[in-house]
Amino acid sequence: MVKKKLARSPEDRWIAGVCGGIAEYTGLPSWLIRVIAIVLFFVPVPVILVLLIYILLTVSLPTRVPGKKLDQNAIDVEFEVRE
């Protein structure tokens, strides 16, 4: 069984693809994840904390290659052929 890996979505993105990647990882609709993120800006948690978490996720999560699922056991190598 292939484990899912959290990554930013290259297709389902508005800003950096963090909400789209979380939606793909959890199986929830991306609009629901975005609504939750927006609501977090209005709860009594400091807005700067929510913003810092989003920036941290943007920097730390890899971007999934479009049309390719991340496989933890796969090796992605590019070869250059010279003649």
Side-chain angles (χ1 to χ4, degrees):
M1 184 166 103
V2 177
K3 293 182 181 180
K4 291 188 212 178
K5 189 171 181 183
L6 183 60
R8 293 184 294 139
S9 175
E11 296 102 6
D12 188 11
R13 65 188 307 158
W14 282 7
I15 299 175
V18 173
C19 291
I22 292 172
E24 290 173 4
Y25 182 77
T26 60
L28 295 171
S30 59
W31 64 266
L32 181 62
I33 301 297
R34 288 186 179 99
V35 167
I36 291 170
I38 291 169
V39 167
L40 285 175
F41 277 102
F42 296 105
V43 295
V45 177
V47 172
I48 191 73
L49 178 65
V50 177
L51 188 61
L52 285 175
I53 290 171
Y54 189 87
I55 291 170
L56 179 68
L57 288 173
T58 300
V59 172
S60 65
L61 291 180
T63 302
R64 185 177 50 78
V65 177
K68 180 178 177 183
K69 299 289 182 189
L70 287 179
D71 184 4
Q72 191 174 14
N73 299 320
I75 299 173
D76 190 13
V77 179
E78 293 183 18
F79 294 98
E80 181 178 323
V81 178
R82 294 184 183 185
E83 294 183 26

